Amino acid sequence: MSTMDEARELGHLNESQRLHLLTSCQYADRLLSEIEAILVASQSKSPFPKLKPDISPAQAKVVQDYISRMRAQVVRILDGQGVPIPAPHIGSVHSIRVTLGFVDIAFDECRPKRMAGYGELADNAAIEIAGLVDEMQGIISRLNSYLAQGQSADLEKRLRRLEEAGSDVTLVKELERAINQHGLVEFRPALATIIDRLETDTFEIAVFGRVSSGKSSLLNHIVGQDLLPVGVNPITAVPTRLSYGSAPRATAWFADRQPEQFGVERLAEFVTEQHNPANVQHVTRIVVELPAQRLREGVVYVDTPGLGSLATSGAAETKAYLPRCDLGVVLIDAGSTLTQDDLATIQTLYDAGIPAFVLLSKADLLAAADRDRALQYMADHIHSDLGLALPVHAISIKAEYTDLLEKWLDTEILPLYDRHAELARQSLNRKIGALRLGVEAALKASLKRSGPSEHSEARIDISKLRDLEKELRTASGKIAEARTGCANMTDALAECADGFIRTAANNMIDAWDSRASATGEDRIKNTLEQAAAERTAQIATAIQEVARNAGSVLARTAMALELENRPEQDELLDVLKNMPRFDLGNFELEVGPSAVASLLGRRWAVARLERRIGSQAGKQITDAVGIYARVLRAWVRKTFTELQEQFDSYADAYRAHLDRLLSNKNGVEDEHALRDDLAAVATNPKNAAQESAPGTA
Ligand SMILES: Nc1nc2c(ncn2[C@@H]2O[C@H](COP(=O)(O)OP(=O)(O)OP(=O)(O)O)[C@@H](O)[C@H]2O)c(=O)[nH]1
Ligand SMILES: [Mg+2]
């Protein structure tokens, strides 16, 4: 008897029949899901609802109940036939992120360049549309990175766990509730940081500095072993925490898979630019535990990817991490000088209320007298540029110089160990305080909008708010437009070598005519470099203009909204630093005035000289201009990304604020909720008492 016959004998379905039953049930269930989707769509808040809302909530409930009934039945039938129900294998978060990718593309299709295919676009409209697309793509990317955090993003659950463990998290919980209730998503990162800190209760000492300033080397010295990878090129790609543990081991957490434990000798696979370029493995956190003598329970050292002009994508992680540490150590390489990048790092620490130490690293590279001069110079500059009086110490990891390092550790760092719990608490309090002020301002703004009419003079004029919103969008659009303009200018530069040679030839002939003294070689090199510099200056001016405009739009908006958080004058112009310069390198050329030239006329002379320059150095010039155009293009791209990020860091808060003021969804009920929540988080003596002892019980 065949197995099919056997099945019939026993009253069972055969294999094919079972498969058919399963696929039919799956198909029917998909259709039921569609009906569910219709129920959701009929209540949709979408501006383009697909369906009329002609179903009452009671009807919807009955439909839903029947669907549940059918589903329960399906499960029983399949179970009765011994048909296993396949488990899903696609994650919901993943699926949302994929769909978000398409949302991103849909907005990208509205960029002015693509719109132009449907007819020419008015300049004003183009700028506003570009701004709109940037705004949307910004929101998408933030939602995306929120989803990338995985489960750890469930802040409420984490708070509950803390509470169960006995922590007093009352105020933080109030903040979390208000943030959730009123959709204040812009405060989520700060809240996440605070919850992280509540969970760990450690004191984090983080080392910052430009690429290759010796951060990893310093930490290796502190823990007494060659643990962290070091080298000349950019090395560290992911912030790495070193903490005390009874046996050495490392753990990595990932955005898209389970955490992994591994031996410390495998650290390079996860933390280096070489093995994990641009953090392709999506590591979100790395902790190394070591029984090192200098480590202590509750104190954590953090190695970070280098900042500055040579930085890799890891720098973004460093910047994101920066406000979370409790103490910042900023390294400045004795082999280079104090740059704007270093000052910006110190300033950011200061702004976040984080104490900082500045260290002159690799002090062995300087003679003792130079070292003291360098220390003085740095302290003076930090004082004059930032108005901060910070301690500056010289250190080196070289054997003959370790007394410098030991002295710093002994006098400045080790004493902190005993106070770490108290220091961590203070640091956390500052973070909670800042968050509370922000949430308070946001709730007040919402109240202003929904407030009763007797406060009507306090209400802001709607059309003025719309204008502000539009101004922000236009400023963002202008940045997008300038980005395209500057990219085109750098592309054009690559083609300019011939033009530069002609300019140089003309200039040289003029010089010979007027018997100027510089040698031909120098004059031509200078003219070529100057011609390139003029192009560069045009790009710099374009960036300057757009950054200035963006800055003043931000300032105006902040003023109109009465928000404290606003950029300094010309803060956005910082992006212009480190613009690469054109350098022709060693340049050799044999040219001299020709007697016939004066006989045959200027045009002929210029053409002849052009040919001579071309034949001797044409390739060198073309190559140098080509390389420069490439370097400049990368710089332009990076600079605009930075500018847009900086602009958004302010504009986002303003947009959220405007959105609150503009949305008229707040009914009377909401107003009560707002008042209650405001009262719960507002700065008052009762809360202040809680704040001084936040949940680190
Ligand atoms: N002379 C001297 N060289 C040092 C010292 N400390 C580090 N170096 C060298 O500087 C280079 C960079 O050191 P790293 O520790 O990798 O620097 P980093 O700041 O971690 O670099 P990134 O991770 O790439 O940002 C290496 O070649 C080290 O050997 C020092 O005290 N003196
Ligand atoms: Mg490093």
Side-chain angles (χ1 to χ4, degrees):
M1 222 171 25
S2 75
T3 46
M4 280 199 181
D5 294 338
E6 258 175 52
R8 201 178 55 225
E9 284 287 288
L10 292 166
H12 289 323
L13 299 179
N14 68 32
E15 199 51 41
S16 317
Q17 290 162 337
R18 292 187 338 161
L19 191 60
H20 178 69
L21 179 66
L22 175 65
T23 43
S24 300
C25 287
Q26 280 176 320
Y27 176 60
D29 186 65
R30 248 201 320 275
L31 295 173
L32 292 178
S33 297
E34 268 173 39
I35 299 180
E36 283 184 313
I38 292 173
L39 292 179
V40 173
S42 73
Q43 308 296 321
S44 169
K45 296 193 176 76
S46 154
F48 318 106
K50 200 167 103 195
L51 303 166
K52 291 186 194 157
D54 57 1
I55 184 163
S56 73
Q59 277 177 306
K61 167 89 171 57
V62 174
V63 175
Q64 189 67 63
D65 287 347
Y66 275 112
I67 292 177
S68 308
R69 187 79 58 79
M70 276 189 266
R71 284 181 164 158
Q73 209 64 14
V74 163
V75 171
R76 262 198 295 283
I77 296 171
L78 292 174
D79 203 37
Q81 288 299 330
V83 180
I85 296 175
H89 55 270
I90 301 177
S92 318
V93 172
H94 171 77
S95 190
I96 295 177
R97 293 182 70 186
V98 169
T99 312
L100 263 184
F102 290 112
V103 179
D104 190 87
I105 292 171
F107 282 117
D108 207 60
E109 284 299 317
C110 299
R111 286 217 173 273
K113 201 164 68 193
R114 308 209 193 277
M115 293 277 253
Y118 299 88
E120 201 163 329
L121 217 59
D123 283 351
N124 279 350
I127 290 174
E128 198 178 343
I129 298 269
L132 176 77
V133 174
D134 276 340
E135 214 173 294
M136 289 312 185
Q137 292 188 323
I139 298 175
I140 292 168
S141 103
R142 283 186 292 282
L143 173 52
N144 209 350
S145 59
Y146 162 72
L147 290 170
Q149 293 164 19
Q151 294 295 335
S152 65
D154 189 348
L155 302 177
E156 204 225 322
K157 202 155 101 201
R158 287 166 62 193
L159 272 173
R160 228 174 5 213
R161 225 177 289 136
L162 279 165
E163 203 172 26
E164 281 159 15
S167 302
D168 173 13
V169 291
T170 325
L171 174 59
V172 182
K173 251 178 68 184
E174 287 296 352
L175 290 169
E176 190 274 341
R177 226 176 45 79
I179 288 170
N180 245 347
Q181 182 80 29
H182 304 287
L184 311 179
V185 282
E186 71 275 23
F187 295 111
R188 282 193 61 97
L191 180 63
T193 303
I194 289 170
I195 297 179
D196 272 0
R197 307 317 314 276
L198 279 167
E199 284 169 346
T200 51
D201 185 21
T202 51
F203 186 68
E204 296 200 349
I205 303 174
V207 185
F208 302 104
R210 276 178 289 151
V211 167
S212 275
S213 51
K215 300 176 289 295
S216 305
S217 305
L218 168 65
L219 289 173
N220 281 345
H221 185 89
I222 291 178
V223 299
Q225 57 178 285
D226 288 338
L227 175 83
L228 299 161
V230 299
V232 216
N233 294 319
I235 298 293
T236 311
V238 186
T240 309
R241 290 176 166 76
L242 310 183
S243 68
Y244 182 82
S246 50
R249 67 164 185 184
T251 315
W253 284 260
F254 304 88
D256 38 15
R257 57 182 161 112
Q258 293 299 309
E260 189 178 324
Q261 265 186 18
F262 52 93
V264 294
E265 70 289 345
R266 284 181 55 205
L267 203 54
E269 289 172 36
F270 301 92
V271 306
T272 60
E273 196 52 45
Q274 188 194 357
H275 296 286
N276 183 12
N279 193 9
V280 287
Q281 302 192 48
H282 302 152
V283 176
T284 53
R285 186 181 172 86
I286 290 210
V287 176
V288 182
E289 287 167 62
L290 288 175
Q293 200 205 340
R294 281 249 182 67
L295 291 174
R296 179 88 64 81
E297 205 89 55
V299 178
V300 173
Y301 284 94
V302 187
D303 186 22
T304 64
L307 298 163
S309 55
L310 295 173
T312 59
S313 62
E317 304 215 26
T318 302
K319 286 186 190 155
Y321 166 72
L322 202 142
R324 309 170 69 143
C325 72
D326 300 295
L327 175 72
V329 177
V330 182
L331 294 198
I332 293 156
D333 192 328
S336 81
T337 57
L338 186 72
T339 65
Q340 283 302 322
D341 289 317
D342 301 319
L343 291 169
T345 308
I346 299 169
Q347 176 81 48
T348 316
L349 286 167
Y350 179 79
D351 289 345
I354 299 167
F357 278 112
V358 179
L359 297 183
L360 179 73
S361 63
K362 310 189 189 175
D364 55 282
L365 298 179
L366 300 177
D370 292 338
R371 193 164 72 216
D372 293 340
R373 253 200 305 279
L375 285 175
Q376 191 58 49
Y377 171 85
M378 278 165 45
D380 288 350
H381 253 264
I382 293 169
H383 191 251
S384 63
D385 285 20
L386 306 178
L388 301 175
L390 285 185
V392 185
H393 300 262
I395 60 147
S396 162
I397 57 156
K398 295 278 173 209
E400 319 84 89
Y401 293 83
T402 47
D403 51 325
L404 284 173
L405 178 50
E406 299 298 329
K407 194 170 118 215
W408 173 68
L409 280 170
D410 287 344
T411 56
E412 307 285 351
I413 298 297
L414 297 184
L416 298 176
Y417 278 28
D418 294 328
R419 295 174 49 215
H420 78 83
E422 179 203 334
L423 290 170
R425 198 151 43 234
Q426 284 172 3
S427 167
L428 181 60
N429 283 345
R430 282 194 293 270
K431 291 178 168 80
I432 296 177
L435 176 63
R436 173 207 282 191
L437 286 178
V439 172
E440 203 180 322
L443 293 178
K444 278 189 182 146
S446 300
L447 256 182
K448 220 182 207 171
R449 172 70 188 95
S450 77
S453 42
E454 72 251 31
H455 287 154
S456 57
E457 67 282 353
R459 288 188 173 198
I460 303 182
D461 177 2
I462 300 272
S463 73
K464 183 159 174 238
L465 294 179
R466 294 222 182 281
D467 285 349
L468 290 173
E469 216 175 23
K470 185 167 164 178
E471 262 198 76
L472 284 176
R473 190 168 296 145
T474 311
S476 187
K478 282 190 178 151
I479 296 177
E481 191 190 46
R483 177 169 39 202
T484 317
C486 289
N488 291 342
M489 281 195 255
T490 48
D491 285 348
L493 182 67
E495 311 293 321
C496 280
D498 291 344
F500 289 172
I501 294 176
R502 176 155 315 144
T503 312
N506 265 307
N507 184 295
M508 196 67 237
I509 299 286
D510 288 346
W512 282 329
D513 285 351
S514 64
R515 301 193 161 53
S517 60
T519 69
E521 197 171 271
D522 284 350
R523 179 172 284 275
I524 288 175
K525 182 168 166 13
N526 285 344
T527 322
L528 288 169
E529 288 181 345
Q530 196 170 346
E534 273 162 25
R535 298 300 180 109
T536 314
Q538 281 171 8
I539 295 175
T541 311
I543 298 178
Q544 212 165 33
E545 239 166 61
V546 77
R548 236 191 223 121
N549 173 62
S552 62
V553 167
L554 288 176
R556 265 205 306 282
T557 314
M559 195 114 71
L561 296 177
E562 296 168 21
L563 293 175
E564 291 296 325
N565 164 33
R566 57 184 80 166
E568 302 274 317
Q569 167 136 29
D570 290 348
E571 178 181 318
L572 270 59
L573 290 179
D574 272 0
V575 295
L576 268 174
K577 65 197 178 233
N578 299 331
M579 189 170 189
R581 285 174 36 145
F582 179 63
D583 182 1
L584 200 47
N586 284 334
F587 188 69
E588 276 175 29
L589 202 63
E590 289 272 333
V591 287
S594 137
V596 260
S598 45
L599 295 177
L600 287 173
R602 186 186 164 90
R603 285 261 292 280
W604 185 87
V606 171
R608 175 176 172 277
L609 183 55
E610 246 182 275
R611 274 197 306 279
R612 290 191 60 189
I613 300 175
S615 68
Q616 289 182 51
K619 181 162 179 339
Q620 187 189 351
I621 297 170
T622 317
D623 285 354
V625 171
I627 291 172
Y628 179 59
R630 264 207 309 283
V631 172
L632 197 60
R633 188 173 322 131
W635 179 85
V636 163
R637 205 180 304 128
K638 181 173 144 238
T639 301
F640 273 99
T641 308
E642 239 173 68
L643 180 60
Q644 183 76 49
E645 273 173 9
Q646 249 190 53
F647 177 79
D648 277 343
S649 71
Y650 291 102
D652 258 353
Y654 303 168
R655 287 184 195 121
H657 203 84
L658 281 164
D659 188 39
R660 276 190 289 278
L661 292 169
L662 278 166
S663 75
N664 45 16
K665 63 176 193 289
N666 293 323
V668 181
E669 207 179 337
D670 270 344
E671 196 197 315
H672 286 308
L674 274 170
R675 283 197 190 289
D676 289 350
D677 287 337
L678 185 56
V681 304
T683 326
N684 62 39
K686 182 170 147 273
N687 276 332
Q690 279 170 359
E691 193 196 334
S692 62
T696 44

